[in-house]
């Protein structure tokens, strides 16, 4: 009998015996990320994807016959808050696993908490290489790494944009500076040295002094490592000052909120970014995409990544017959998982064996398209 049929049978037996849902042991899964604050758009993507996955998994028997229940953990992309959230999820909520976090600067310290507690965690969107380079056995990604993403961006700048005078800007955060350094290193390997390398501060909105420096350096390409909250104002102020240099950024700007923070589609037109190949176009996810769109929600960014993360956890727990994180981790590293983003496989570090970063371009309607 398949795990799905066993799960449905377990639900049916519970109902027949008159057992209330409260008497069944819910499988608690934490969904940690910036659910409030300036980066809440990404937290919304996580929650939407994971919630739909939980509903769909529960409709087919849950995990080992038990319903999935999600527990929200809001870290606001603040490292100290992320650690507090991780401790709460482990000690108070007693979660079996975690989907999260988002900002690498939050995920890295939180992952130490999960590792110590022996709790498996999958991040849909944290890309800093150090997350999986520290020998933590239960930490996984549903996305690629900055050293992969940075190379793709740098090669695009050299090969397609023909950039000669490139500025590399970052937000001084673990994620933003890490990916900027990766792009800068690849540019150097390709024979292009950054004419300006500078950090800005998260939360700032006035970048006119920086734009003046960019104009003074006569840059033809600006690469920005960071999030949409700063990318938008920077891009707008570049254009308002007449700086026409190409703008290239990362998967931290993959949200329609970039248009809002920039002040309109006229400012983001022609900007580029790196992100995984659009999962909304994969045949495995078409039914889900249509279901979400029918509710009025566009499953952009990391929505499907979060959905796939819960699929992976469910597959591992179902295959190992429980919620033992150690067994689930070992299973994931030796078995492929079918998800709405295609078949995924992980190496011994918890990284995906195949990463699919590509270039996207924003149009004059405020929409992005894969090049």
């Amino acid at each position: 009998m398949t795990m799905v049929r066993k799960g449905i049978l377990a639900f049916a037996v519970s109902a027949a015996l008159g057992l209330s849902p409260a008497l069944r042991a819910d499988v608690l899964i934490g969904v940690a990320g910036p659910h409030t604050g300036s980066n809440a758009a990404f937290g919304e993507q996580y929650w939407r994807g994971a919630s739909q996955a939980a509903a769909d998994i529960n409709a087919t028997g849950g995990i080992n016959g038990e319903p999935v229940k999600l527990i929200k953990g809001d870290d606001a992309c603040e490292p100290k808050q992320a650690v507090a959230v991780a401790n709460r999820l482990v000690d108070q909520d007693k979660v079996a696993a975690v989907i999260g976090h988002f900002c690498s600067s939050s995920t890295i310290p939180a992952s130490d908490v999960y590792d110590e507690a022996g709790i498996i965690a999958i991040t849909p969107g944290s890309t800093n290489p150090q997350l999986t380079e520290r020998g933590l056995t239960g930490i996984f990604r549903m996305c690629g790494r900055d050293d992969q993403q940075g190379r793709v961006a740098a090669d695009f700048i050299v090969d397609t944009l023909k950039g000669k005078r490139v500025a590399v800007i970052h937000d001084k955060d673990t994620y933003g500076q890490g990916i900027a350094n990766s792009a800068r290193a690849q540019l150097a390997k390709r024979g292009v040295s950054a004419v300006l390398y500078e950090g800005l501060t998260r939360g700032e909105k006035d970048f006119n002094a920086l734009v003046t420096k960019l104009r003074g350096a006569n840059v033809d390409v600006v690469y920005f490592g960071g999030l949409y909250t700063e990318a938008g104002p920077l891009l707008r102020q570049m254009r308002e000052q007449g700086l026409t240099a190409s703008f290239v950024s990362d998967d931290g700007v993959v949200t329609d909120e970039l248009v809002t923070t920039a002040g309109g589609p006229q400012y983001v037109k022609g900007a580029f970014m790196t992100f995984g190949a659009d999962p909304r176009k994969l045949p495995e996810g078409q039914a889900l995409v249509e279901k979400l769109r029918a509710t009025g929600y566009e499953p952009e960014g990391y929505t499907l990544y979060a959905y796939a993360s819960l699929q992976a956890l469910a597959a591992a727990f179902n295959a190992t017959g429980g919620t033992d994180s150690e067994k689930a981790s070992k299973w994931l590293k030796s078995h492929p998982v079918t998800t709405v983003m295609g078949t995924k496989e992980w190496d011994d570090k918890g990284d995906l064996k195949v990463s699919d970063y590509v270039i996207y371009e924003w149009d004059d309607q405020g929409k992005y398209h894969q090049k």
Side-chain angles (χ1 to χ4, degrees), residues 104-174:
S104 293
S105 55
S106 293
T107 310
I108 291 174
S111 67
D112 291 327
V113 176
Y114 303 134
D115 180 67
E116 184 177 350
I119 299 296
I120 187 173
I122 300 182
T123 173
S126 291
T127 52
N128 187 275
Q130 285 305 306
L131 177 63
T132 49
E133 290 290 344
R134 296 168 299 139
L136 307 188
T137 59
I139 305 300
F140 294 80
R141 301 182 210 260
M142 189 56 74
C143 56
R145 296 166 43 130
D146 290 340
D147 45 4
Q148 300 163 333
Q149 187 177 181
R151 284 196 298 269
V152 171
D155 288 342
F156 173 73
I157 289 170
V158 174
D159 297 331
T160 302
L161 299 181
K162 309 299 181 183
K164 301 296 183 182
R165 299 187 60 79
V166 181
V168 177
I169 310 300
H170 60 82
D171 64 359
K172 303 179 186 176
D173 184 74
T174 303

Side-chain angles (χ1 to χ4, degrees), residues 282-296:
L282 298 175
E284 294 90 341
Q286 285 306 298
L288 172 61
V289 170
E290 292 174 8
K291 180 188 294 187
L292 290 170
R293 284 175 174 167
T295 69

Side-chain angles (χ1 to χ4, degrees), residues 317-341:
F317 284 151
N318 278 328
T320 55
T323 55
D324 185 302
S325 285
E326 183 178 358
K327 292 180 180 179
S329 296
K330 289 180 179 178
W331 188 88
L332 278 179
K333 292 175 181 178
S334 57
H335 294 83
V337 176
T338 300
T339 77
V340 291
M341 294 176 58

Side-chain angles (χ1 to χ4, degrees), residues 104-323:
S104 293
S105 55
S106 293
T107 310
I108 291 174
S111 67
D112 291 327
V113 176
Y114 303 134
D115 180 67
E116 184 177 350
I119 299 296
I120 187 173
I122 300 182
T123 173
S126 291
T127 52
N128 187 275
Q130 285 305 306
L131 177 63
T132 49
E133 290 290 344
R134 296 168 299 139
L136 307 188
T137 59
I139 305 300
F140 294 80
R141 301 182 210 260
M142 189 56 74
C143 56
R145 296 166 43 130
D146 290 340
D147 45 4
Q148 300 163 333
Q149 187 177 181
R151 284 196 298 269
V152 171
D155 288 342
F156 173 73
I157 289 170
V158 174
D159 297 331
T160 302
L161 299 181
K162 309 299 181 183
K164 301 296 183 182
R165 299 187 60 79
V166 181
V168 177
I169 310 300
H170 60 82
D171 64 359
K172 303 179 186 176
D173 184 74
T174 303
Y175 164 70
Q177 188 164 5
I179 195 169
N181 288 343
S182 174
R184 184 188 185 194
Q186 181 66 9
L187 285 169
K189 288 181 181 179
R190 297 296 307 275
V192 177
S193 296
V195 296
L196 184 66
Y197 175 75
E198 191 160 325
L200 52 80
T201 301
R202 276 191 181 181
E204 287 186 358
K205 301 301 179 186
D206 184 356
F207 304 121
N208 282 298
L210 173 59
V211 174
T212 298
K213 287 185 179 181
L214 294 171
R215 293 180 62 193
N218 194 31
V219 301
D220 53 16
V221 179
V222 174
Y223 179 80
F224 176 67
L227 304 176
Y228 70 92
T229 42
E230 286 72 43
L234 174 60
L235 187 50
R236 182 185 70 248
Q237 290 163 44
M238 284 173 52
R239 300 308 182 227
E240 287 177 340
Q241 285 201 34
L243 182 58
T244 59
S246 297
F247 187 87
V248 183
S249 193
D250 48 44
D251 57 2
V253 304
V254 186
T255 169
D256 291 342
E257 289 298 312
L258 176 67
V259 180
T260 302
T261 60
Q266 68 272 28
Y267 295 113
V268 303
K269 177 186 177 182
F272 302 98
M273 65 185 181
T274 47
F275 191 47
D278 195 342
R280 295 173 295 183
K281 296 182 178 179
L282 298 175
E284 294 90 341
Q286 285 306 298
L288 172 61
V289 170
E290 292 174 8
K291 180 188 294 187
L292 290 170
R293 284 175 174 167
T295 69
Y297 176 73
E298 178 60 37
E300 65 168 343
Y302 294 95
T303 306
L304 270 61
Y305 285 71
Y307 188 106
S309 295
L310 186 48
Q311 284 184 304
L313 290 171
F317 284 151
N318 278 328
T320 55
T323 55

